[in-house]
Amino acid sequence: MKLTIAIIAGGDSSEHDVSMKSAAGISSWLDRDKYNVYTIEIRGLEWNAILDDGTLSPVNRHDFTFMGVDSDGNPVTIRPGFAYITIHGTPGENGILQGYFELMHIPYSSCNLLVAAMTFDKFVNNQYLRRFGVKVAESVFLRSNQEISDDDVIDTVGLPCFIKPNGSGSSFGVTRVTKREDIQKAIRFARAEGGEVVIEAELKGMELANGVFRKADGEIHVLPVTEVVSKNEFFDFDAKYNGQVDEITPARISDDTTARVKALTKSIYDILGGNGIMRVDYIITKSTRKNESDGSEHTVDVINLLEINATPGMTATSFIPQQVRYEGLEMKDVLDEVIQERLRK
């Protein structure tokens, strides 16, 4: 008997439409010989399953069921046995839906409630991993009722800096600030997207993205590393989704740096107790080191954590599918590994 999978998409943030595109990608890759697949679009309290003929069937949130039809066209109640969460933003990336599915006793694709909530909170996540020796940019955190002077921003993180919502993605609400007079405007812009704000020092260097997932047998599998070369001032929404970026897999870094990036990705995933497909983003900066024996100097690559995406984009052109293709794998098989690992637990 086939397992029924619900792809949970949409959500309540500015990333709603991006999430629906990810759902279409996942739906196209899932093995129909193994799974019956429905997409459930969430928008506030409206939860609708999209049936094969395109009609919408309201989801009963009390038991996670909806009405569909069987192969003979007769009405039938459907309760999915697995949830593949691909909401970018609330309520799918911040732990809310993870808690719901725990209550419903329905296995789901992503990390658990705690890890989802922590990775969604950029400041908390980076400060937590900093305790494990992971390098991150200097930053300032502002709650929704807190203010900060221009002088304090400059004294703490300097200029240029990035001002961004603490809990958002796809670069919504993000500003690269180069002038003192733009600081407060950027804070207001970030707050319009989300109440809490993070102000981070700019790290000059190469941006990298590295996918990772847990296989059915529990082994952590790290994918190839992608280099991100934005044609804009930074890797903003247009660069992400409107083609204004070059994404190079594998990244043009040394074998040693590649190995260190992948080892750090695996370590972070392990520290967090990761599940499902995650993506870790980095900035590589350069540092000059002196050889104590002869006094000579050499340059080394420093790996700085940028952020972690617990439900990364899954369109055909997203980083994860690119990395999977380069490694010679099939998305169908990777998704099956993720699903089977979660079912095993």
Side-chain angles (χ1 to χ4, degrees):
M1 186 174 179
K2 291 183 183 180
L3 175 69
T4 297
I5 294 179
I7 303 171
I8 315 300
D12 303 333
S13 76
S14 299
E15 297 181 89
H16 180 280
D17 293 347
V18 175
S19 169
M20 294 303 295
K21 292 178 181 178
S22 287
I26 293 167
S27 180
S28 70
W29 295 316
L30 285 171
D31 189 347
R32 292 308 199 275
D33 291 334
K34 284 186 171 183
Y35 307 118
N36 295 315
V37 181
Y38 297 90
T39 295
I40 292 178
E41 181 178 9
I42 290 178
R43 193 189 295 271
L45 295 179
E46 292 185 13
W47 293 26
N48 289 299
I50 303 173
L51 303 182
D52 291 341
D53 61 1
T55 59
L56 302 181
S57 180
V59 175
N60 184 336
R61 295 189 302 279
H62 295 290
D63 58 7
F64 198 59
T65 62
F66 57 90
M67 295 303 299
V69 294
D70 61 20
S71 57
D72 297 321
N74 300 313
V76 61
T77 300
I78 297 172
R79 187 177 195 266
F82 188 90
Y84 199 107
I85 301 173
T86 190
I87 289 179
H88 313 314
T90 188
E93 199 170 6
N94 56 1
I96 293 174
L97 278 179
Q98 286 80 357
Y100 169 80
F101 288 119
E102 292 282 355
L103 288 172
M104 291 292 105
H105 296 277
I106 295 173
Y108 54 89
S109 59
S110 72
C111 54
N112 65 27
L113 187 160
L114 174 62
V115 177
M118 188 165 65
T119 54
F120 188 69
D121 189 310
K122 297 177 175 66
F123 184 81
V124 167
N125 179 73
N126 285 11
Q127 296 310 308
Y128 175 75
L129 289 173
R130 193 175 199 167
R131 298 298 183 94
F132 290 88
V134 178
K135 297 184 185 306
V136 298
E138 289 297 328
S139 61
V140 176
F141 172 71
L142 298 178
R143 297 198 182 277
S144 56
N145 62 342
Q146 292 177 323
E147 304 294 335
I148 189 171
S149 70
D150 297 344
D151 287 340
D152 284 344
V153 170
I154 294 170
D155 290 344
T156 306
V157 302
L159 292 176
C161 69
F162 284 95
I163 299 180
K164 61 180 77 173
N166 189 44
S168 183
S170 294
S171 296
F172 285 111
V174 178
T175 304
R176 179 178 182 267
V177 177
T178 60
K179 297 181 293 186
R180 173 192 295 267
E181 55 264 33
D182 292 336
I183 291 173
Q184 298 304 322
K185 177 182 176 182
I187 291 173
R188 290 192 295 271
F189 181 57
R191 283 214 162 115
E193 184 67 28
E196 297 178 338
V197 173
V198 174
I199 305 173
E200 286 183 344
E202 180 182 53
L203 296 173
K204 285 284 191 181
M206 177 188 294
E207 185 166 346
L208 304 176
N210 192 202
V212 57
F213 65 94
R214 196 180 294 274
K215 298 172 68 174
D217 61 5
E219 176 190 349
I220 299 173
H221 184 92
V222 183
L223 292 165
V225 182
T226 298
E227 177 184 347
V228 183
V229 184
S230 177
K231 298 175 184 177
N232 298 339
E233 189 176 37
F234 65 97
F235 193 38
D236 60 8
F237 183 87
D238 281 337
K240 284 180 169 77
Y241 301 110
N242 294 328
Q244 297 172 22
V245 65
D246 291 324
E247 298 169 357
I248 304 165
T249 306
R252 296 172 297 184
I253 53 179
S254 69
D255 291 344
D256 174 69
T257 300
T258 298
R260 290 195 294 124
V261 167
K262 295 178 74 170
L264 181 55
T265 297
K266 184 176 182 179
S267 177
I268 289 172
Y269 192 90
D270 194 36
I271 289 168
L272 295 175
N275 287 111
I277 300 172
M278 299 174 74
R279 195 187 79 233
V280 187
D281 297 342
Y282 301 100
I283 295 285
I284 301 296
T285 56
K286 300 290 185 181
S287 177
T288 301
R289 306 280 174 83
K290 183 173 286 189
N291 190 320
E292 294 183 1
S293 62
D294 61 10
S296 62
E297 294 184 343
H298 63 285
T299 301
V300 297
D301 289 337
V302 180
I303 306 168
N304 305 274
L305 173 65
L306 186 59
E307 65 179 22
I308 296 172
N309 292 273
T311 56
M314 294 290 280
T315 68
T317 58
S318 296
F319 290 120
I320 297 299
Q322 289 182 50
Q323 294 169 7
V324 166
R325 287 194 298 270
Y326 179 81
E327 200 168 38
L329 304 176
E330 297 287 339
M331 280 302 303
K332 178 182 74 171
D333 298 327
V334 171
L335 294 178
D336 192 52
E337 292 275 2
V338 168
I339 292 165
Q340 294 305 318
E341 192 277 330
R342 302 306 288 141
L343 291 174
R344 181 175 62 85
K345 290 189 173 182

